[in-house]
Amino acid sequence: MYSTAMSLSAAAAASSSRPDAIRPAGLRFCGLRREALGLRSLRTSPQAVAGRRSVAAAAFAAENGTAGSGGFDYDLVIIGAGVGGHGAALHAVEKGLKTAIIEGDVVGGTCVNRGCVPSKALLAVSGKMRELRDEHHMKSLGLQVPSTGYDRQAVADHANNLASKIRSNLTNSMKALGVDILNGKTVFTSDHALKLESVPDWIAIVGSGYIGLEFSDVYTALGSEVTFVEALDQLMPGFDPEIAKLAQRILINPRKIDYHTGVFASKITPAKDGKPVLIELIDAKTKEHKETLEVDAALIATGRAPFTKGLGLENINVVTQRGFVPVDERMQVSNLYCIGDANGKLMLAHAASAQGISVVEQICGKDNILNHLSIPAACFTHPEISMVGLTEPQAREKADKEGFGVSVVKTSFKANTKALAENEGDGLAKMIYRPDTGEILGVHILGLHAADLIHEASNAIALGTRVQDIKFAVHAHPTLSEVLDELFKAAKVSSGVSSSVSEPVAA
Ligand SMILES: Cc1cc2nc3c(=O)[nH]c(=O)nc-3n(C[C@H](O)[C@H](O)[C@H](O)COP(=O)(O)OP(=O)(O)OC[C@H]3O[C@@H](n4cnc5c(N)ncnc54)[C@H](O)[C@@H]3O)c2cc1C
Ligand SMILES: NC(=O)c1ccc[n+]([C@@H]2O[C@H](COP(=O)([O-])OP(=O)(O)OC[C@H]3O[C@@H](n4cnc5c(N)ncnc54)[C@H](O)[C@@H]3O)[C@@H](O)[C@H]2O)c1
């Protein structure tokens, strides 16, 4: 029997995340947490470094050894079958570890069941709807669309069906590899926003981060009017300010969206007996009452925090911060690892998975530190926003502290042939870099397929490729990737800096 899993399931009361209080703008979580569960008899596998420890994936995973007197059934027990746990499980099997995964609710976690997957299904619909309704765009392509409409339930079914399909793909992929999927006992909160049970005429969205912005795209495409309530002084405070300003011009101002910034939604009274939803707004600084909004519905998108109570972390003196588990750069705390949303470093599906893989590498005896500044992020509005590394203010702050210079280059999508062919010239890409070394500090893109374009920059940061080298890489014409090519070629790096790329050979 898996002794680790037994002690965990007895202690667990899980739901990965819930709406959270405000976080400062632009905060990148730096500080891993790992929670100790007071696990007994943990052992490292023969390849792992000496010492007892456990692994957390999505929530946590506990490692134990098959060798020796303990006689455990698994080398690795992962708690939580979200994308973090799933990524870790697949990698663990590849590494030859006998693996089990315990899920308290349904396989797939937040991303698959109430996050990335259903939200992107709704966004796919909003994208098509926008395109079909854009008469000017259609005319310019020579198309006529007589009328457009939608079936709300069919749209909702599309999101649900996609989630079920991906959930069963994930389940089957683990079963096929021999990962045992075990059920925990736990209590969950539920997230209904993605069920699209109605399309309100007027919806207030509290918080203009990723969730708020993506849902504003969905709701306005389906005909709702949106009012944003944002505590900080500008909308989209987590984004590079120049990109946020342009996003406001492209994604907010032309749509049926108004907004209140610098105010907290301090109290929300649900609709009752024909009365509307009431949202009390207070000044974020003075805390004085400003006004009360009356709307048909309210979506709270103020950040999420993990529910990590009941795991027995206090038994090993791990103190969570608003539920987040403080881990170090190797995702460790005490004798445990914690990956994914639970550690709060970067609450993204692919970050969770990358952390899981990094941890498995360590368990197998190879030191591995994930560079979080190389992990891209994307907001799937129409058009999309993507980013990797530092924002310009963050880069300038770091430069002031460490005494180096910062340069910025920008290019417009209007200069890109492919974007113009698609009639999608709205957009900007900017790169922040060190002119003395050519190091790429950050790249931010708003424009058509920005979420796909960012990877050339994130891979360059991950691999330490400098501007003076990547500028020689060739991009097919006409493609959107030339947007990044423009950035690399426009950057000016000090002439004394060496390049590892050979000079192009003259034809
Ligand atoms: C609306 C929305 C849209 C999103 N869109 C994107 C996107 O487009 N791209 C992106 O990268 N990210 C997106 N995210 C974020 C992404 O969903 C999360 O970062 C990701 O799911 C984190 O993965 P995880 O494995 O750490 O946690 P989760 O996916 O939350 O999985 C944790 C799992 O652990 C289980 N669990 C927890 N505690 C226990 C316990 N004690 N015992 C047993 N089981 C337990 C939970 O039930 C859950 O299944 C979105 C999130 C939301 C809410
Ligand atoms: N495309 C994606 O990758 C994607 C999509 C959705 C969600 N996510 C992940 O899910 C997490 C949660 O997303 P989110 O949008 O809820 O959080 P967020 O942290 O991105 O944004 C929350 C916003 O709410 C504001 N806020 C907080 N309390 C408030 C209050 N009382 N009144 C008014 N404004 C308030 C904050 O200032 C902030 O701008 C994110 O960390 C993100 O990583 C990712």
Side-chain angles (χ1 to χ4, degrees), residues 21-23 120 206-212 214 229-232 237 263-265 301-304 347-348 378-380:
I22 185 167
R23 280 200 297 270
K120 264 76 258 177
V206 184
S208 63
Y210 286 84
I211 293 181
E214 289 187 350
V229 176
E230 170 55 55
L232 294 179
V263 287
F264 274 118
T302 55
R304 293 168 73 90
M347 296 174 77
L348 297 171
C379 191
F380 293 86

mmCIF file of all heavy atoms in Angstrom, residues 21-23 120 206-212 214 229-232 237 263-265 301-304 347-348 378-380, ligand 2:
data_model
loop_
_atom_site.group_PDB
_atom_site.id
_atom_site.type_symbol
_atom_site.label_atom_id
_atom_site.label_comp_id
_atom_site.label_asym_id
_atom_site.label_seq_id
_atom_site.Cartn_x
_atom_site.Cartn_y
_atom_site.Cartn_z
ATOM 1 N N ALA A 21 -7.723 37.748 -2.639
ATOM 2 C CA ALA A 21 -7.650 39.186 -2.471
ATOM 3 C C ALA A 21 -6.677 39.786 -3.476
ATOM 4 O O ALA A 21 -6.006 39.089 -4.206
ATOM 5 C CB ALA A 21 -7.162 39.484 -1.064
ATOM 6 N N ILE A 22 -6.606 41.091 -3.461
ATOM 7 C CA ILE A 22 -5.790 41.798 -4.434
ATOM 8 C C ILE A 22 -4.303 41.494 -4.280
ATOM 9 O O ILE A 22 -3.812 41.286 -3.193
ATOM 10 C CB ILE A 22 -6.034 43.305 -4.276
ATOM 11 C CG1 ILE A 22 -5.288 44.051 -5.342
ATOM 12 C CG2 ILE A 22 -5.628 43.787 -2.911
ATOM 13 C CD1 ILE A 22 -5.721 45.477 -5.426
ATOM 14 N N ARG A 23 -3.626 41.460 -5.430
ATOM 15 C CA ARG A 23 -2.159 41.362 -5.417
ATOM 16 C C ARG A 23 -1.614 42.587 -6.121
ATOM 17 O O ARG A 23 -2.251 43.119 -7.008
ATOM 18 C CB ARG A 23 -1.721 40.122 -6.200
ATOM 19 C CG ARG A 23 -1.834 38.860 -5.428
ATOM 20 C CD ARG A 23 -0.961 37.816 -6.064
ATOM 21 N NE ARG A 23 -1.384 37.510 -7.413
ATOM 22 C CZ ARG A 23 -2.263 36.562 -7.692
ATOM 23 N NH1 ARG A 23 -2.781 35.846 -6.747
ATOM 24 N NH2 ARG A 23 -2.599 36.335 -8.930
ATOM 25 N N LYS A 120 -10.876 28.876 -23.466
ATOM 26 C CA LYS A 120 -10.416 29.045 -24.844
ATOM 27 C C LYS A 120 -11.473 28.585 -25.844
ATOM 28 O O LYS A 120 -11.542 29.093 -26.963
ATOM 29 C CB LYS A 120 -9.105 28.301 -25.063
ATOM 30 C CG LYS A 120 -7.890 29.174 -24.910
ATOM 31 C CD LYS A 120 -7.510 29.526 -23.507
ATOM 32 C CE LYS A 120 -7.841 30.857 -22.987
ATOM 33 N NZ LYS A 120 -7.470 31.059 -21.582
ATOM 34 N N VAL A 206 -15.110 42.318 -11.855
ATOM 35 C CA VAL A 206 -14.240 42.892 -10.826
ATOM 36 C C VAL A 206 -12.849 42.299 -11.012
ATOM 37 O O VAL A 206 -12.652 41.097 -10.842
ATOM 38 C CB VAL A 206 -14.790 42.585 -9.410
ATOM 39 C CG1 VAL A 206 -13.917 43.267 -8.351
ATOM 40 C CG2 VAL A 206 -16.237 43.027 -9.288
ATOM 41 N N GLY A 207 -11.897 43.169 -11.374
ATOM 42 C CA GLY A 207 -10.530 42.715 -11.650
ATOM 43 C C GLY A 207 -10.281 42.694 -13.153
ATOM 44 O O GLY A 207 -11.054 42.100 -13.904
ATOM 45 N N SER A 208 -9.215 43.382 -13.577
ATOM 46 C CA SER A 208 -8.917 43.422 -15.024
ATOM 47 C C SER A 208 -7.609 42.698 -15.325
ATOM 48 O O SER A 208 -6.773 43.183 -16.080
ATOM 49 C CB SER A 208 -8.866 44.867 -15.524
ATOM 50 O OG SER A 208 -7.813 45.568 -14.893
ATOM 51 N N GLY A 209 -7.440 41.532 -14.705
ATOM 52 C CA GLY A 209 -6.293 40.677 -15.013
ATOM 53 C C GLY A 209 -6.653 39.745 -16.151
ATOM 54 O O GLY A 209 -7.525 40.044 -16.980
ATOM 55 N N TYR A 210 -6.013 38.591 -16.176
ATOM 56 C CA TYR A 210 -6.209 37.645 -17.268
ATOM 57 C C TYR A 210 -7.677 37.232 -17.395
ATOM 58 O O TYR A 210 -8.242 37.239 -18.481
ATOM 59 C CB TYR A 210 -5.404 36.375 -17.021
ATOM 60 C CG TYR A 210 -3.925 36.507 -17.240
ATOM 61 C CD1 TYR A 210 -3.101 36.992 -16.252
ATOM 62 C CD2 TYR A 210 -3.363 36.117 -18.443
ATOM 63 C CE1 TYR A 210 -1.738 37.093 -16.443
ATOM 64 C CE2 TYR A 210 -2.008 36.212 -18.657
ATOM 65 C CZ TYR A 210 -1.197 36.707 -17.646
ATOM 66 O OH TYR A 210 0.133 36.806 -17.858
ATOM 67 N N ILE A 211 -8.251 36.801 -16.274
ATOM 68 C CA ILE A 211 -9.613 36.262 -16.352
ATOM 69 C C ILE A 211 -10.585 37.361 -16.763
ATOM 70 O O ILE A 211 -11.406 37.175 -17.662
ATOM 71 C CB ILE A 211 -10.023 35.620 -15.003
ATOM 72 C CG1 ILE A 211 -9.185 34.377 -14.753
ATOM 73 C CG2 ILE A 211 -11.514 35.296 -14.985
ATOM 74 C CD1 ILE A 211 -9.500 33.636 -13.454
ATOM 75 N N GLY A 212 -10.476 38.528 -16.116
ATOM 76 C CA GLY A 212 -11.370 39.638 -16.420
ATOM 77 C C GLY A 212 -11.310 40.007 -17.895
ATOM 78 O O GLY A 212 -12.341 40.154 -18.559
ATOM 79 N N GLU A 214 -10.143 38.255 -20.521
ATOM 80 C CA GLU A 214 -10.624 37.219 -21.445
ATOM 81 C C GLU A 214 -12.156 37.157 -21.427
ATOM 82 O O GLU A 214 -12.798 37.020 -22.468
ATOM 83 C CB GLU A 214 -10.019 35.858 -21.093
ATOM 84 C CG GLU A 214 -8.528 35.779 -21.431
ATOM 85 C CD GLU A 214 -7.904 34.394 -21.255
ATOM 86 O OE1 GLU A 214 -8.557 33.490 -20.685
ATOM 87 O OE2 GLU A 214 -6.761 34.223 -21.674
ATOM 88 N N VAL A 229 -14.266 46.856 -12.833
ATOM 89 C CA VAL A 229 -13.926 47.492 -11.560
ATOM 90 C C VAL A 229 -12.507 47.047 -11.241
ATOM 91 O O VAL A 229 -12.251 45.855 -11.083
ATOM 92 C CB VAL A 229 -14.883 47.044 -10.436
ATOM 93 C CG1 VAL A 229 -14.450 47.627 -9.105
ATOM 94 C CG2 VAL A 229 -16.320 47.435 -10.767
ATOM 95 N N GLU A 230 -11.573 47.984 -11.210
ATOM 96 C CA GLU A 230 -10.166 47.623 -10.989
ATOM 97 C C GLU A 230 -9.611 48.448 -9.830
ATOM 98 O O GLU A 230 -9.723 49.673 -9.812
ATOM 99 C CB GLU A 230 -9.353 47.866 -12.269
ATOM 100 C CG GLU A 230 -7.854 47.767 -12.128
ATOM 101 C CD GLU A 230 -7.356 46.452 -11.546
ATOM 102 O OE1 GLU A 230 -7.694 45.387 -12.078
ATOM 103 O OE2 GLU A 230 -6.632 46.509 -10.516
ATOM 104 N N ALA A 231 -8.985 47.759 -8.884
ATOM 105 C CA ALA A 231 -8.502 48.431 -7.675
ATOM 106 C C ALA A 231 -7.310 49.350 -7.955
ATOM 107 O O ALA A 231 -7.174 50.396 -7.320
ATOM 108 C CB ALA A 231 -8.112 47.386 -6.641
ATOM 109 N N LEU A 232 -6.467 48.963 -8.873
ATOM 110 C CA LEU A 232 -5.290 49.797 -9.128
ATOM 111 C C LEU A 232 -5.660 50.932 -10.089
ATOM 112 O O LEU A 232 -6.778 50.982 -10.596
ATOM 113 C CB LEU A 232 -4.139 48.935 -9.630
ATOM 114 C CG LEU A 232 -3.652 47.943 -8.545
ATOM 115 C CD1 LEU A 232 -2.528 47.065 -9.050
ATOM 116 C CD2 LEU A 232 -3.207 48.662 -7.271
ATOM 117 N N PRO A 237 -3.243 46.126 -14.830
ATOM 118 C CA PRO A 237 -2.010 46.595 -14.189
ATOM 119 C C PRO A 237 -0.870 45.583 -14.216
ATOM 120 O O PRO A 237 0.281 45.961 -14.021
ATOM 121 C CB PRO A 237 -2.451 46.869 -12.743
ATOM 122 C CG PRO A 237 -3.656 46.029 -12.544
ATOM 123 C CD PRO A 237 -4.338 45.958 -13.873
ATOM 124 N N VAL A 263 -10.604 51.811 -7.537
ATOM 125 C CA VAL A 263 -11.681 51.518 -6.576
ATOM 126 C C VAL A 263 -11.733 50.021 -6.280
ATOM 127 O O VAL A 263 -11.504 49.190 -7.159
ATOM 128 C CB VAL A 263 -13.079 51.944 -7.098
ATOM 129 C CG1 VAL A 263 -13.245 53.441 -7.070
ATOM 130 C CG2 VAL A 263 -13.353 51.372 -8.469
ATOM 131 N N PHE A 264 -12.037 49.730 -5.031
ATOM 132 C CA PHE A 264 -12.271 48.347 -4.622
ATOM 133 C C PHE A 264 -13.755 48.047 -4.698
ATOM 134 O O PHE A 264 -14.570 48.901 -4.316
ATOM 135 C CB PHE A 264 -11.897 48.151 -3.147
ATOM 136 C CG PHE A 264 -10.463 47.836 -2.913
ATOM 137 C CD1 PHE A 264 -9.674 48.705 -2.164
ATOM 138 C CD2 PHE A 264 -9.897 46.673 -3.395
ATOM 139 C CE1 PHE A 264 -8.349 48.421 -1.919
ATOM 140 C CE2 PHE A 264 -8.575 46.380 -3.146
ATOM 141 C CZ PHE A 264 -7.789 47.262 -2.412
ATOM 142 N N ALA A 265 -14.089 46.852 -5.149
ATOM 143 C CA ALA A 265 -15.456 46.374 -4.959
ATOM 144 C C ALA A 265 -15.481 45.859 -3.523
ATOM 145 O O ALA A 265 -14.846 44.848 -3.215
ATOM 146 C CB ALA A 265 -15.755 45.256 -5.937
ATOM 147 N N ALA A 301 -13.069 38.404 -10.589
ATOM 148 C CA ALA A 301 -11.816 37.911 -11.191
ATOM 149 C C ALA A 301 -10.653 38.647 -10.539
ATOM 150 O O ALA A 301 -9.919 39.384 -11.177
ATOM 151 C CB ALA A 301 -11.847 38.150 -12.693
ATOM 152 N N THR A 302 -10.528 38.448 -9.242
ATOM 153 C CA THR A 302 -9.562 39.237 -8.463
ATOM 154 C C THR A 302 -8.346 38.419 -8.048
ATOM 155 O O THR A 302 -7.671 38.749 -7.080
ATOM 156 C CB THR A 302 -10.242 39.811 -7.200
ATOM 157 O OG1 THR A 302 -10.818 38.720 -6.472
ATOM 158 C CG2 THR A 302 -11.317 40.808 -7.542
ATOM 159 N N GLY A 303 -8.067 37.373 -8.785
ATOM 160 C CA GLY A 303 -6.919 36.528 -8.444
ATOM 161 C C GLY A 303 -7.394 35.258 -7.766
ATOM 162 O O GLY A 303 -8.522 35.187 -7.269
ATOM 163 N N ARG A 304 -6.559 34.249 -7.793
ATOM 164 C CA ARG A 304 -6.920 32.967 -7.186
ATOM 165 C C ARG A 304 -5.853 32.544 -6.200
ATOM 166 O O ARG A 304 -4.685 32.867 -6.363
ATOM 167 C CB ARG A 304 -7.089 31.898 -8.282
ATOM 168 C CG ARG A 304 -8.281 32.189 -9.178
ATOM 169 C CD ARG A 304 -8.274 31.311 -10.406
ATOM 170 N NE ARG A 304 -8.635 29.941 -10.112
ATOM 171 C CZ ARG A 304 -9.874 29.470 -10.142
ATOM 172 N NH1 ARG A 304 -10.880 30.259 -10.431
ATOM 173 N NH2 ARG A 304 -10.116 28.204 -9.896
ATOM 174 N N MET A 347 1.149 31.453 -11.951
ATOM 175 C CA MET A 347 -0.052 30.602 -11.966
ATOM 176 C C MET A 347 -0.519 30.335 -13.394
ATOM 177 O O MET A 347 -1.550 30.831 -13.851
ATOM 178 C CB MET A 347 -1.144 31.246 -11.122
ATOM 179 C CG MET A 347 -0.735 31.323 -9.660
ATOM 180 S SD MET A 347 -1.903 32.224 -8.655
ATOM 181 C CE MET A 347 -3.190 31.020 -8.471
ATOM 182 N N LEU A 348 0.272 29.522 -14.073
ATOM 183 C CA LEU A 348 -0.024 29.171 -15.459
ATOM 184 C C LEU A 348 0.128 27.678 -15.628
ATOM 185 O O LEU A 348 0.988 27.051 -14.982
ATOM 186 C CB LEU A 348 0.943 29.888 -16.397
ATOM 187 C CG LEU A 348 0.867 31.413 -16.394
ATOM 188 C CD1 LEU A 348 2.017 32.014 -17.182
ATOM 189 C CD2 LEU A 348 -0.465 31.885 -16.955
ATOM 190 N N ALA A 378 0.249 34.287 -21.874
ATOM 191 C CA ALA A 378 -0.573 34.839 -22.957
ATOM 192 C C ALA A 378 -2.000 35.052 -22.489
ATOM 193 O O ALA A 378 -2.509 34.291 -21.676
ATOM 194 C CB ALA A 378 -0.559 33.887 -24.154
ATOM 195 N N CYS A 379 -2.599 36.097 -22.986
ATOM 196 C CA CYS A 379 -4.002 36.378 -22.705
ATOM 197 C C CYS A 379 -4.723 36.238 -24.043
ATOM 198 O O CYS A 379 -4.365 36.912 -25.019
ATOM 199 C CB CYS A 379 -4.102 37.799 -22.155
ATOM 200 S SG CYS A 379 -5.703 38.176 -21.480
ATOM 201 N N PHE A 380 -5.738 35.357 -24.064
ATOM 202 C CA PHE A 380 -6.292 34.935 -25.356
ATOM 203 C C PHE A 380 -7.476 35.769 -25.814
ATOM 204 O O PHE A 380 -8.518 35.245 -26.200
ATOM 205 C CB PHE A 380 -6.629 33.444 -25.304
ATOM 206 C CG PHE A 380 -5.386 32.604 -25.173
ATOM 207 C CD1 PHE A 380 -4.841 32.338 -23.922
ATOM 208 C CD2 PHE A 380 -4.735 32.120 -26.290
ATOM 209 C CE1 PHE A 380 -3.682 31.588 -23.784
ATOM 210 C CE2 PHE A 380 -3.569 31.378 -26.165
ATOM 211 C CZ PHE A 380 -3.046 31.111 -24.914
HETATM 212 N N1 LIG B 2 -4.511 33.061 -20.403
HETATM 213 C C1 LIG B 2 -4.012 32.706 -19.222
HETATM 214 O O1 LIG B 2 -2.876 32.281 -19.106
HETATM 215 C C2 LIG B 2 -4.870 32.812 -18.001
HETATM 216 C C3 LIG B 2 -6.235 33.060 -18.124
HETATM 217 C C4 LIG B 2 -6.987 33.173 -16.969
HETATM 218 C C5 LIG B 2 -6.376 33.012 -15.741
HETATM 219 N N2 LIG B 2 -5.051 32.767 -15.647
HETATM 220 C C6 LIG B 2 -4.394 32.638 -14.331
HETATM 221 O O2 LIG B 2 -5.367 32.692 -13.320
HETATM 222 C C7 LIG B 2 -4.933 33.553 -12.280
HETATM 223 C C8 LIG B 2 -6.096 34.352 -11.780
HETATM 224 O O3 LIG B 2 -6.522 35.303 -12.772
HETATM 225 P P1 LIG B 2 -7.228 36.658 -12.350
HETATM 226 O O4 LIG B 2 -7.545 37.433 -13.575
HETATM 227 O O5 LIG B 2 -8.333 36.357 -11.389
HETATM 228 O O6 LIG B 2 -6.097 37.379 -11.465
HETATM 229 P P2 LIG B 2 -5.036 38.521 -11.796
HETATM 230 O O7 LIG B 2 -4.104 38.546 -10.656
HETATM 231 O O8 LIG B 2 -4.491 38.373 -13.170
HETATM 232 O O9 LIG B 2 -5.900 39.882 -11.796
HETATM 233 C C9 LIG B 2 -6.666 40.285 -10.686
HETATM 234 C C10 LIG B 2 -7.007 41.769 -10.829
HETATM 235 O O10 LIG B 2 -8.015 42.081 -9.874
HETATM 236 C C11 LIG B 2 -7.724 43.341 -9.253
HETATM 237 N N3 LIG B 2 -8.418 43.319 -7.940
HETATM 238 C C12 LIG B 2 -8.154 42.510 -6.885
HETATM 239 N N4 LIG B 2 -9.036 42.740 -5.874
HETATM 240 C C13 LIG B 2 -9.912 43.693 -6.312
HETATM 241 C C14 LIG B 2 -11.070 44.333 -5.755
HETATM 242 N N5 LIG B 2 -11.545 44.021 -4.544
HETATM 243 N N6 LIG B 2 -11.727 45.272 -6.475
HETATM 244 C C15 LIG B 2 -11.261 45.573 -7.722
HETATM 245 N N7 LIG B 2 -10.182 45.002 -8.305
HETATM 246 C C16 LIG B 2 -9.522 44.065 -7.621
HETATM 247 C C17 LIG B 2 -6.191 43.347 -9.214
HETATM 248 O O11 LIG B 2 -5.684 44.653 -9.102
HETATM 249 C C18 LIG B 2 -5.816 42.672 -10.550
HETATM 250 O O12 LIG B 2 -5.707 43.618 -11.584
HETATM 251 C C19 LIG B 2 -3.862 34.449 -12.849
HETATM 252 O O13 LIG B 2 -2.791 34.502 -11.929
HETATM 253 C C20 LIG B 2 -3.460 33.811 -14.152
HETATM 254 O O14 LIG B 2 -2.124 33.359 -14.066
HETATM 255 C C21 LIG B 2 -4.288 32.688 -16.760
#
